[in-house]
């Protein structure tokens, strides 16, 4: 749960006065609030000065770097931006120095592919897309400090991305290695695992193969333990932290060596090393599995099996790591024709090659224990490999041949006179320790900690990315970092940036740029022609926002110490692992070399939910063109689907059916917004019809911020009517021609106790809900206040002004206009946010238990200062209590104010009130 503490502080000096700055057409006929936006822009209302009063508290709120695509924003994008804007506006008004910037993650494959398809230079399309995004964001009134705007494609920015790479190189954390990569011949580049789906590229659907290439790598594995341990102290969603833990995948176990044996059973010199987290199951290993890319595979395969193995390796090369390791996929493999000896029992076991084992994890080989591993069990059954149970489950009827038992228990079938190892009767934990002792004593293995985390593949065969600041001397091939003073190493202007088709990056075409001289030796050299991945620029941008104009260092020390860490970081859950993990890695490296002062970059991370497109209704249609109810489809028949317009649909129970034929049940489904589905809603259109504030308010009102929600254009009308009610309450009703008078309604008079209580309950609720990011319930509280205000005979100015300030973080355009009409010539952006007075939060009434002859018979609601007579009178009038009192004589009454009323009756049958 996010909790944003507030600290009282005097607001900064008021901005220059400008008369008639917020005169905009109000609801119910809204238009884009250009006058207000222009005022904010001209007066730099939300600029965070370079030099600030550091004695004041700070609040750094950040949106995850957007990628500016040509499609522009859809209504799903502003969800997170609106939330951070509400938080930023609240904290400014609470006296904080607020840093709320925006920039662009603009290098990468999409821009390059679009450029290739259209023949337009990616620089041109990137600038055009950025301009469109910026215009749309300004239209929605987000209070960004646009003076701090940055783009990863600017040389002034990526100079420091290159500088960080050089620091990684100096620390031994950047290196080159030949590794299997996802190579897409059509795109001419290496793709990350997440960019490959079902063996084809996510962009374009082109075939992807696995092939070894020499690549730059970053040694993120050197920070695995710190990345894991420091998660515990972060205010992040537990699901995100767990995803990072799983991605890092720390495990403790053992590395074991299995000697290869020839066909006559004699040991060969070669050994296969395997990693296991369950050394207690060593006696249950009935075969080994090596990955298709294992370095020893070609040397151990028999001649009889070589053709099958080579064919299998080719098929496996076309699969991504994710496809190979999905548990639900059928396991496949080929026998190598070779055997290895299990030193624990002296038995020779077959070696298979299977793609469910990855060359990049552990040693690229496993000992397979089918009785105690689900994948191994499935594989063993398919290929008729022996299954030997060595750990007993509690269930006496358990069958190892029906399923694997992966839990711990008592060890059985695990002793050998050949090896001298006996672990029978031990628990799994005790047995594992005993096996590791035996392995180390006999030099057959060692204790080992392993990680799923792999070093970061940090090179792309693309043009549109940061050049890597390294040269290679021609005669030696030695890689040399370029001097810091030569940064930035800028991209050459290329007219032809299509893939070479050979694996050489497009930059290799820039011959005059590639050829250079080693500044130390004076020898001819060549520049690195790979570029950095898109992740590079987004790893550290949060630091540059603190000091964006600094040409001498990445970020000034004093500014970094004041603003770090980011207090609230909001973005999609799809970045839960890679972006956040990469950024944490770079941050820790910068911490180690003294550039930053905190161990972690982001104190609090919040994942907003997805806004799905409007519900679409589909009907099944059989091959003859007849509609079929969704609950009557036949799995053997191939149906098409027909989209049904909403006006032809009605609800029936929990289902949706055709109005004209209620027997036809429909499929009702909301999908993620995408151009291909035709369900994208342009925010510009919504703003044009309903106004920017209605869009902002609706996105916050749809439901809990972290949950997925379904867009409904009709739903926005409700919050639009709410804003119109606020407007009419304060400004009054329009004249017959639809125009509103200047100023406001009569706001004379002092507030009553009822009004103050109502207002301060609203203040308390709205403040609490914004700070808890429960924006929808904050809006509900304001709606309840307006409902109450419409019943009042008078509307004091104090009440109205306070409510307008409450509304302003959510609906800043309307609030600024109302503030101006209330007689204030400057923006309310730095007005103190209202504080709830505890004296007005106390309930004025209490629920009073009423007893008859000592037995509670009901309750009544009374005022705090209620007298005994008034309490008794209310009890006598209550329908439930009066039947106990009617016709009875009262002996005495016991009354404790605010606590209890006890009426003691005597035996005489006289009416209430008679003496």
């Amino acid at each position: 749960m996010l909790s944003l503490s507030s600290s009282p502080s005097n607001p900064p000096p008021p901005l220059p006065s400008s008369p008639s700055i917020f005169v905009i057409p109000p609801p119910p006929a809204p238009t884009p609030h250009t006058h207000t936006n222009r005022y904010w822009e001209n007066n730099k209302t939300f600029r965070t000065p370079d030099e600030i009063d550091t004695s004041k508290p700070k609040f750094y709120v950040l949106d995850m770097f957007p990628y500016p695509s040509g499609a522009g924003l859809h209504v799903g994008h502003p969800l997170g931006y609106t939330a951070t804007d509400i938080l930023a506006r609240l904290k400014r008004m609470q006296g904080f120095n607020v840093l709320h910037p925006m920039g662009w993650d603009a290098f990468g494959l999409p821009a390059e592919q679009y450029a290739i398809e259209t023949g337009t230079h990616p620089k041109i399309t990137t600038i055009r897309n950025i301009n469109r995004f910026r215009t749309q964001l300004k239209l929605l009134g987000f209070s960004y400090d646009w003076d701090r705007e940055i783009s990863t494609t600017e040389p002034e920015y990526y100079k420091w991305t290159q500088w960080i790479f050089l620091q990684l190189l100096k620390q031994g954390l950047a290196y080159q290695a030949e590794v299997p990569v996802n190579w897409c011949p059509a795109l001419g580049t290496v793709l990350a695992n997440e960019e490959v789906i079902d063996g084809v590229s996510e962009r374009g659907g082109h075939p992807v193969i696995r092939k070894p290439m020499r690549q730059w790598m970053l040694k993120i594995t050197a920070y695995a333990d710190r990345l894991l341990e420091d998660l515990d102290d972060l205010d992040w969603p537990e699901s995100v932290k767990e995803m990072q833990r799983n991605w890092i995948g720390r495990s403790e176990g053992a590395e074991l060596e299995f000697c290869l044996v020839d066909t006559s059973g004699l040991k060969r010199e070669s050994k296969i090393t395997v990693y296991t987290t369950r050394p207690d199951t060593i006696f249950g290993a009935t075969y080994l599995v090596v990955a298709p890319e294992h370095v020893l595979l070609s040397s151990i395969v028999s001649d009889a099996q070589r053709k099958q193995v080579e064919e299998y390796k080719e098929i496996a090369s076309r699969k991504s790591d994710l496809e190979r390791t999905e548990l639900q996929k059928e396991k496949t493999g080929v026998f190598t024709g070779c055997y290895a000896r299990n030193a624990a029992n002296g038995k020779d076991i077959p070696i298979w090659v299977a793609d469910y084992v990855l060359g990049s994890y552990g040693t690229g080989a496993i000992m397979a224990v089918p009785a105690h591993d689900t994948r191994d069990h499935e594989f063993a059954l398919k290929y008729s490999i022996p299954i030997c149970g060595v750990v007993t489950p509690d269930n006496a009827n358990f069958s190892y041949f029906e399923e694997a038992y992966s839990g711990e228990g008592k060890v059985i079938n695990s002793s050998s006179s050949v090896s001298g190892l006996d672990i029978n009767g031990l628990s799994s934990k005790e047995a594992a320790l005993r096996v590791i002792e035996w392995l180390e004593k006999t030099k057959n293995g060692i204790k080992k900690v392993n990680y799923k985390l792999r070093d970061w593949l940090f090179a792309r065969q693309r043009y549109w990315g940061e050049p890597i600041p390294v040269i290679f001397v021609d005669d030696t091939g030695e890689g040399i970092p370029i001097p810091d003073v030569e940064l930035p190493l800028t991209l050459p202007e290329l007219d032809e940036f299509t893939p070479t088709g050979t694996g050489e990056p497009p930059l290799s075409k820039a011959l005059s740029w590639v050829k250079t001289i080693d500044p130390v030796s004076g020898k001819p050299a060549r520049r690195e022609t790979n570029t950095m991945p898109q992740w590079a620029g987004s790893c550290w941008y949060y630091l540059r926002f603190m000091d964006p104009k600094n040409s001498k260092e990445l970020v000034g020390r004093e500014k970094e110490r004041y603003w770090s860490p980011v207090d609230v970081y909001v973005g999609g859950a799809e970045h839960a692992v890679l972006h956040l993990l990469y950024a944490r890695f770079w941050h820790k490296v910068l911490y180690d070399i003294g550039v930053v002062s905190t161990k972690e970059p982001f104190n609090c991370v919040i994942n907003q939910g997805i806004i799905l497109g409007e519900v679409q209704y589909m009907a099944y249609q059989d091959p003859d063109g007849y509609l079929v109810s969704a609950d009557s489809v036949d799995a053997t028949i191939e149906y098409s689907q027909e989209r049904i317009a909403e006006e032809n649909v009605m609800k029936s129970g929990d289902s949706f059916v055709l109005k004209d034929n209620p027997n036809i049940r429909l499929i009702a489904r909301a999908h993620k917004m995408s151009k291909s589905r035709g369900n994208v809603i342009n925010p510009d259109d919504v703003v044009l019809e309903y106004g920017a504030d209605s869009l902002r308010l609706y996105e916050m009102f749809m439901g809990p911020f972290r949950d997925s929600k379904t867009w409904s254009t009709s739903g926005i009308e409700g919050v639009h009517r709410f804003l119109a009610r606020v407007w009419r309450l304060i400004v009054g009703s329009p004249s017959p021609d639809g125009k509103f008078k200047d100023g406001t309604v009569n706001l004379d008079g002092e507030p009553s106790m009822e009004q103050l209580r109502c207002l301060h309950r609203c203040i308390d609720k709205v403040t609490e809900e914004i700070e808890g990011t429960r924006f929808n319930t904050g809006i509900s509280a304001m709606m309840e206040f307006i409902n109450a205000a419409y019943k009042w005979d008078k509307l004091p100015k104090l009440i109205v002004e306070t409510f307008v300030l409450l509304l302003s973080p959510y609906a800043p355009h309307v609030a600024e206009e109302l503030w101006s009409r209330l007689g204030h010539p400057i923006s309310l952006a730095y007005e103190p946010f209202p504080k709830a007075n505890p004296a007005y939060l106390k309930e004025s009434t209490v629920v009073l238990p009423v007893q008859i002859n000592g037995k509670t018979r009901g309750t009544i609601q009374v005022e705090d200062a209620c007298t005994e007579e008034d309490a008794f009178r209310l009890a006598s009038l209550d329908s439930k209590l009066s039947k106990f009192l009617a016709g009875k004589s009262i002996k005495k009454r016991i009354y404790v104010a605010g606590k209890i009323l006890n009426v003691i009756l005597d035996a005489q049958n006289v009416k209430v009130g008679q003496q």
Side-chain angles (χ1 to χ4, degrees):
M1 184 64 66
L2 169 66
S3 178
L4 305 173
S5 61
S6 61
S7 175
S9 177
N10 293 326
L15 298 171
S17 176
S18 176
S20 304
I21 54 176
F22 302 123
V23 180
I24 56 171
T31 61
H33 306 300
T34 54
H35 297 290
T36 311
N37 291 340
R38 193 178 301 121
Y39 170 83
W40 289 332
E41 188 163 354
N42 291 343
N43 289 280
K44 297 186 181 296
T45 302
F46 307 114
R47 181 175 179 270
T48 305
D50 292 329
E51 302 301 326
I52 57 174
D53 179 4
T54 56
S55 66
K56 292 173 58 177
K58 66 94 178 179
F59 184 68
Y60 185 0
V61 58
L62 184 64
D63 300 294
M64 286 189 183
F65 231 16
Y67 188 91
S69 69
L73 298 174
H74 61 63
V75 293
H77 293 116
L79 178 68
Y81 304 154
T82 304
T84 58
D85 194 57
I86 291 170
L87 292 170
R89 288 175 178 275
L90 170 72
K91 304 313 279 187
R92 282 193 201 95
M93 297 173 77
Q94 288 180 334
F96 284 69
N97 287 325
V98 172
L99 183 56
H100 185 37
M102 176 52 70
W104 318 104
D105 186 16
F107 270 135
L109 184 60
E112 183 162 314
Q113 282 304 114
Y114 182 79
I116 292 170
E117 293 164 6
T118 62
T120 309
H121 197 283
K123 183 176 182 179
I124 296 172
T125 57
T126 297
I127 292 173
R128 184 171 63 213
N129 294 344
I130 286 174
N131 289 339
R132 172 154 171 72
F133 264 58
R134 187 192 303 110
T135 299
Q136 288 184 294
L137 291 176
K138 286 185 176 182
L139 182 67
L140 293 168
F142 298 130
S143 61
Y144 295 123
D145 177 1
W146 288 106
D147 282 4
R148 293 175 182 259
E149 179 184 4
I150 56 178
S151 168
T152 55
T153 61
E154 297 167 352
E156 296 80 11
Y157 178 84
Y158 69 70
K159 165 186 177 178
W160 298 105
T161 309
Q162 292 171 334
W163 182 85
I164 294 173
F165 176 84
L166 293 179
Q167 308 316 303
L168 291 163
L169 201 58
K170 290 176 185 176
Q171 301 297 316
L173 297 171
Y175 65 96
Q176 284 193 299
E178 189 166 283
V179 294
V181 297
N182 300 315
W183 171 253
C184 179
L187 297 178
T189 188
V190 169
L191 299 177
N193 286 334
E194 65 276 4
E195 295 171 320
V196 181
I197 299 174
D198 295 331
V200 299
S201 61
E202 182 182 28
R203 184 173 181 84
H206 305 294
V208 175
I209 62 172
R210 298 280 286 180
K211 78 171 191 176
M213 291 182 69
R214 191 158 185 80
Q215 300 284 294
W216 281 102
M217 309 289 292
L218 298 187
K219 198 178 290 185
I220 190 173
T221 50
Y223 282 73
D225 282 327
R226 287 168 64 183
L227 290 168
L228 194 61
E229 292 162 5
D230 292 345
L231 280 171
D232 294 338
D233 298 327
L234 295 176
D235 182 14
W236 290 20
E238 193 55 40
S239 59
V240 172
K241 293 200 282 189
E242 193 59 28
M243 287 173 71
Q244 291 212 359
R245 291 187 187 107
N246 292 338
W247 190 267
I248 296 168
R250 186 183 191 277
S251 61
E252 294 185 2
E255 271 189 358
L256 295 74
E257 289 186 338
F258 286 75
C259 290
L260 300 182
V261 295
D262 60 23
T263 52
S264 61
L266 295 176
K267 285 186 179 181
R268 293 165 53 180
E269 289 187 6
S270 299
K271 296 180 179 181
I272 288 183
T273 303
V274 305
Y275 172 77
T276 179
T277 59
R278 294 292 302 273
D280 57 309
T281 64
I282 188 171
F283 284 91
T286 57
Y287 65 104
L288 298 187
V289 182
V290 296
E293 56 271 15
H294 195 282
V295 292
L296 288 179
L297 178 57
S298 296
S299 64
I300 66 174
V301 66
S302 68
D303 291 338
Q305 292 295 104
R306 190 169 300 279
K307 182 180 179 182
Q308 285 190 60
V309 170
E310 291 301 322
E311 289 175 350
Y312 186 79
K313 284 173 62 178
E314 172 63 23
I315 294 170
S317 74
R318 294 195 289 269
K319 296 181 181 180
S320 70
D321 288 357
L322 182 62
E323 291 174 281
R324 288 171 54 177
T325 55
E326 283 182 337
L327 295 178
Q328 68 270 26
K329 293 294 179 71
E330 182 182 3
K331 303 297 174 291
T332 61
V334 173
F335 176 45
T336 65
C338 184
Y339 291 81
R341 182 158 296 162
N342 186 343
N345 56 18
K347 293 182 179 179
D348 295 340
I349 57 178
I351 303 173
W352 287 69
V353 56
D355 63 9
Y356 74 85
V357 176
L358 300 178
S360 59
Y361 178 66
T363 64
I366 65 165
M367 68 173 200
V369 185
H372 303 290
D373 182 276
T374 303
R375 298 177 310 167
D376 299 345
H377 188 274
E378 180 185 336
F379 193 90
L381 288 179
K382 181 175 181 177
Y383 294 106
S384 301
I385 300 173
I387 298 173
C388 175
V390 294
V391 178
T392 56
D394 292 335
N395 182 2
N397 297 321
F398 185 86
S399 170
Y400 297 110
F401 298 97
E402 293 180 4
E403 61 178 312
Y405 172 66
S406 57
E408 296 182 349
K410 186 178 180 180
V411 175
I412 59 172
N413 302 327
S414 297
S415 67
S416 170
S417 58
V418 175
S419 65
L421 179 63
D422 182 359
I423 53 175
N424 276 333
L426 299 180
S427 69
S428 292
K429 283 187 171 60
E430 292 172 321
L433 293 174
R434 183 75 61 83
V435 169
I436 291 172
E437 289 175 6
W438 172 81
L439 288 169
E440 294 183 334
K441 182 179 179 180
T442 59
K443 300 190 181 331
N444 283 306
I446 57 172
K447 184 178 182 179
K448 185 78 171 179
V449 174
N450 204 20
Y451 300 88
K452 288 182 181 177
L453 181 67
R454 301 293 91 197
D455 280 346
W456 177 6
L457 180 62
F458 197 75
R460 296 292 185 270
Q461 291 68 48
R462 299 174 188 162
Y463 166 67
W464 196 235
E466 298 94 337
I468 295 175
V470 173
I471 62 173
F472 299 94
V473 181
D474 284 358
D475 60 353
T476 64
E478 179 188 3
I480 299 173
I482 69 173
D484 290 358
V485 294
E486 293 187 13
L487 299 179
L489 173 61
T490 56
L491 272 178
E493 290 290 337
L494 271 185
D495 295 326
E496 174 56 48
F497 35 77
T498 54
T500 61
T502 64
E504 279 289 304
L507 277 181
S508 63
K509 300 176 184 179
L511 297 179
S512 61
W513 181 86
V514 172
K515 293 180 179 179
T516 186
I517 300 294
D518 175 15
V520 177
S521 67
K523 295 180 180 179
R526 291 174 57 85
R527 297 194 188 280
E528 171 62 76
T529 53
N530 285 307
T531 53
M532 298 184 194
Q534 185 177 340
W535 303 103
S538 61
C539 274
W540 70 280
Y541 70 101
Y542 59 93
L543 292 170
R544 194 60 177 171
F545 278 138
M546 300 174 187
D547 197 8
K549 309 300 182 188
N550 194 330
S551 61
K552 296 182 179 179
E553 51 189 339
L554 184 149
V555 59
R557 183 177 297 272
E558 290 184 7
K559 292 177 180 178
E560 185 278 328
R561 287 183 180 277
Y562 178 72
W563 288 114
S564 287
V566 175
D567 294 287
V568 178
Y569 192 32
V570 174
E574 66 272 17
H575 300 300
V577 174
L578 295 181
H579 161 60
L580 289 174
L581 197 64
Y582 292 157
R584 294 180 63 221
F585 165 46
W586 276 30
H587 191 90
K588 290 180 182 300
V589 174
L590 293 173
Y591 176 79
D592 288 348
I593 63 175
V595 175
V596 300
S597 60
T598 63
K599 292 182 179 180
E600 289 286 337
F602 315 117
N603 180 51
C604 173
V605 167
I606 301 175
N607 298 136
Q608 82 270 20
I610 296 172
I611 292 185
L612 305 173
E614 294 194 86
V615 174
Q616 295 180 351
Y617 303 95
M618 309 296 292
Y620 283 108
Q621 194 173 49
D622 68 17
D624 296 325
Y626 292 103
L627 297 183
V628 178
S629 181
D631 55 355
S632 302
V633 295
D634 186 336
T636 63
I637 298 175
E638 188 172 335
Y639 297 93
S640 59
Q641 290 188 8
E642 178 184 344
R643 187 167 177 178
I644 307 297
E646 187 175 359
E647 58 266 23
N648 298 325
V649 177
M650 69 178 188
K651 193 163 189 192
S652 175
D654 293 332
S655 305
F656 292 91
V657 298
L658 274 178
K659 276 185 182 177
D660 295 341
N661 185 356
N663 293 322
I664 301 296
R665 181 181 292 183
L666 306 174
I667 307 167
R669 192 173 296 146
H671 300 274
K672 188 175 180 179
M673 289 189 181
S674 67
K675 286 195 294 184
S676 61
R677 290 193 179 274
N679 64 348
V680 172
I681 306 293
N682 189 329
D684 299 4
D685 299 334
V686 178
V687 171
L688 187 63
E689 184 172 358
Y690 295 100
D693 286 353
S694 292
L695 175 59
R696 291 170 58 111
L697 212 63
Y698 177 57
E699 298 225 344
M700 295 295 96
F701 191 57
M702 292 171 72
F705 178 59
R706 293 162 176 79
D707 293 357
S708 294
K709 299 163 278 284
T710 303
W711 177 268
S712 171
T713 301
S714 59
I716 198 172
E717 294 174 357
V719 295
H720 184 61
R721 285 194 298 270
F722 164 68
L723 288 177
R725 293 189 75 213
V726 172
W727 183 268
R728 289 194 301 271
L729 178 71
I730 299 171
V731 175
S733 299
S735 58
D737 62 1
K739 294 182 179 180
F740 290 90
K741 67 178 183 179
D742 293 336
T744 64
V745 297
N746 182 10
L747 300 175
D748 293 336
E750 293 297 319
S752 67
M753 184 61 69
E754 177 195 353
Q755 290 173 327
L756 289 170
R757 282 175 175 156
C758 186
L759 174 67
H760 283 265
R761 282 197 294 268
C762 186
I763 294 170
D764 185 59
K765 185 69 172 176
V766 170
T767 306
E768 179 183 352
E769 300 307 83
I770 292 178
E771 292 185 335
T773 64
R774 297 178 294 271
F775 305 105
N776 56 323
T777 47
I779 296 170
S780 296
M782 289 188 286
M783 289 178 169
E784 291 173 8
F785 174 84
I786 291 300
N787 287 340
Y790 262 91
K791 300 174 184 177
W792 298 335
D793 295 330
K794 61 178 182 177
L795 198 60
K797 187 175 183 180
L798 173 65
I799 300 290
V800 170
E801 287 188 333
T802 305
F803 178 78
V804 169
L805 293 175
L806 274 186
L807 178 67
S808 64
Y810 285 93
H813 300 93
V814 169
E816 291 277 28
E817 167 67 13
L818 291 172
W819 192 247
S820 177
R821 285 171 172 261
L822 287 163
H824 303 281
I826 61 173
S827 170
L828 53 66
Y830 294 90
E831 288 292 322
F833 197 75
K835 289 185 177 180
N837 186 334
Y840 297 127
L841 298 180
K842 296 178 180 178
E843 290 291 337
S844 59
T845 60
V846 295
V847 176
L848 187 74
V850 178
Q851 294 183 343
I852 309 295
N853 289 339
K855 186 173 183 178
T856 302
R857 296 295 188 177
T859 61
I860 55 175
Q861 193 158 340
V862 299
E863 293 289 329
D864 276 339
C866 181
T867 65
E868 179 182 332
E869 287 299 326
D870 288 337
F872 181 70
R873 179 177 57 82
L874 289 171
S876 301
L877 295 173
D878 184 86
S879 58
K880 291 182 179 179
L881 295 169
S882 60
K883 63 183 181 182
F884 295 103
L885 298 172
K888 300 295 190 297
S889 176
I890 307 301
K891 186 175 182 180
K892 66 175 180 177
R893 297 191 301 240
I894 303 170
Y895 178 66
V896 180
K899 299 293 184 181
I900 197 169
L901 170 65
N902 187 6
V903 182
I904 308 299
L905 306 176
D906 65 19
Q908 295 183 27
N909 188 16
V910 294
K911 291 183 179 180
V912 174
Q914 291 185 344
Q915 300 299 320

